[in-house]
Amino acid sequence: MARVDILSHSELKQMRASCKLAADTLSMIAEHIKPGITTEDINTLVHDYIVAHDAYPSPLNYRGFPKSVCTSINECVCHGIPGPVVLKDGDIINVDVTTTLPKRLGFYGDTSATFYVGEPSPMAKHVTEVARQALEIGIAGVKPGARLGDLGHAMQSFVESKGCSVVRDYTGHGIGRVFHTEPAVLHYGEPGTGMRLKRGMIFTIEPMVNLGSHETVLLDDGWTVLTQDRSLSAQFEHTVLVTRTGVEVLTKRDGLLKHSEDVEWAQLGHYSSASA
Ligand code: MF3
Ligand code: CO
Ligand code: CO
């Protein structure tokens, strides 16, 4: 049986602060996502913002990752490394922000969103919106007594009903005093299986959704993950807390994100009418 760390009240306060900073960083970067910017520019903006808030950009030097944020464009599933690549009209890009606050021995906040660069194709928008809604569906299943397999099944059923697939090779994760810990949060699965959720548990939900097959390949740089068939892929991530009655989205953003037509997680029930 996996052990899951439950934070004290004062630790939870610090965890909320780190998650809020991660969310604010993502809101900040949303304003900059447009054709002509490079992923290196995004890295610099994210790095400087997090450091200015007395926190540390957790990806930097994490298991040798060379940059402060992950930027994953089009067929990149996750863990794209920022560099000289220029965003162009029609791209979709996931920006995955993780903060450590305080910067030494702090708490981790982890959140990502996929943004439209200019005007993407209908298919690129489709995979993005399916990923966004998959995260909302996962979050909606979080409450004491629910099982992780219930969440995974709900997300997988939805994604496949929209003609897309769920990545199996990467998962959500427990988070708090460490970046990645138990439990593994699968975005696919069988109802009635897996860990039973308890009040106080904190983990990420971060479905990666592909337009084609779910299979992935890892590039020689040891980080960049692409879809095996080079189909488009999109992802959204929140860090969530199981509460007495349900869920608190610790990385919830204020307002809407202009460039991604962000739908607040709480607006559940509206997605069925909005989906293609
Ligand atoms: N933020 C990613 C996640 O959601 C992990 C990135 S690890 C890195 O778990 F080293 F690539 F940054
Ligand atoms: Co994560
Ligand atoms: Co992340």
Side-chain angles (χ1 to χ4, degrees):
M1 196 63 187
R3 289 186 45 119
V4 173
D5 194 26
I6 303 291
L7 302 187
S8 71
H9 188 74
S10 73
E11 290 171 326
L12 192 54
K13 246 176 103 170
Q14 298 183 78
M15 184 63 185
R16 283 198 178 94
S18 187
C19 287
K20 181 178 188 313
L21 176 60
D24 289 348
T25 307
L26 205 52
S27 296
M28 178 279 293
I29 210 66
E31 305 296 318
H32 294 276
I33 304 292
K34 35 179 89 97
I37 192 177
T38 67
T39 51
E40 181 72 54
D41 296 333
I42 294 171
N43 184 72
T44 302
L45 287 161
V46 166
H47 180 96
D48 292 351
Y49 187 88
I50 291 171
V51 168
H53 288 80
D54 294 318
Y56 181 81
S58 325
L60 186 59
N61 301 322
Y62 175 76
R63 300 186 180 194
F65 191 78
K67 295 287 182 175
S68 299
V69 65
C70 297
T71 51
S72 304
I73 301 172
N74 296 338
E75 68 282 355
C76 183
V77 172
C78 62
H79 304 164
I81 302 172
V85 44
V86 179
L87 299 193
K88 59 181 196 305
D89 186 27
D91 285 342
I92 53 173
I93 180 173
N94 175 279
V95 179
D96 191 342
V97 170
T98 315
T99 49
T100 313
L101 183 73
K103 53 176 160 280
R104 290 190 66 252
L105 301 174
F107 293 82
Y108 289 80
D110 192 7
T111 186
S112 83
T114 297
F115 300 96
Y116 296 167
V117 183
E119 187 66 22
S121 69
M123 286 309 252
K125 289 182 175 176
H126 179 67
V127 71
T128 304
E129 297 315 309
V130 170
R132 188 199 312 281
Q133 292 166 27
L135 172 57
E136 292 174 355
I137 288 165
I139 290 169
V142 177
K143 60 177 183 210
R147 300 183 69 167
L148 284 177
D150 301 337
L151 273 56
H153 180 75
M155 289 185 274
Q156 180 183 12
S157 307
F158 170 74
V159 168
E160 293 178 355
S161 80
K162 297 293 179 186
C164 298
S165 65
V166 172
V167 169
R168 279 33 166 191
D169 298 337
Y170 301 88
T171 70
H173 49 93
I175 186 167
R177 289 187 165 285
V178 285
F179 195 166
H180 295 108
T181 183
E182 293 179 274
V185 179
L186 279 54
H187 307 105
Y188 60 93
E190 297 303 321
T193 66
M195 183 185 284
R196 203 175 280 285
L197 301 183
K198 286 198 313 217
R199 182 181 181 181
M201 287 180 177
I202 300 177
F203 52 87
T204 74
I205 307 178
E206 48 182 299
M208 285 142 274
V209 173
N210 298 349
L211 215 38
S213 94
H214 68 82
E215 283 145 310
T216 69
V217 289
L218 179 64
L219 295 191
D220 287 342
D221 62 21
W223 284 104
T224 310
V225 178
L226 304 183
T227 54
Q228 189 175 73
D229 60 10
R230 302 300 192 270
S231 66
L232 294 172
S233 187
Q235 179 181 27
F236 288 81
E237 173 175 28
H238 273 307
T239 300
V240 304
L241 165 71
V242 183
T243 63
R244 185 175 57 81
T245 53
V247 61
E248 179 180 334
V249 180
L250 298 175
T251 47
K252 187 164 156 35
R253 293 179 290 282
D254 306 328
L256 304 181
L257 288 182
K258 256 199 281 191
H259 294 275
S260 66
E261 298 165 17
D262 195 37
V263 178
E264 283 301 308
W265 71 273
Q267 291 173 343
L268 284 166
H270 298 286
Y271 54 74
S272 48
S273 52
S275 52

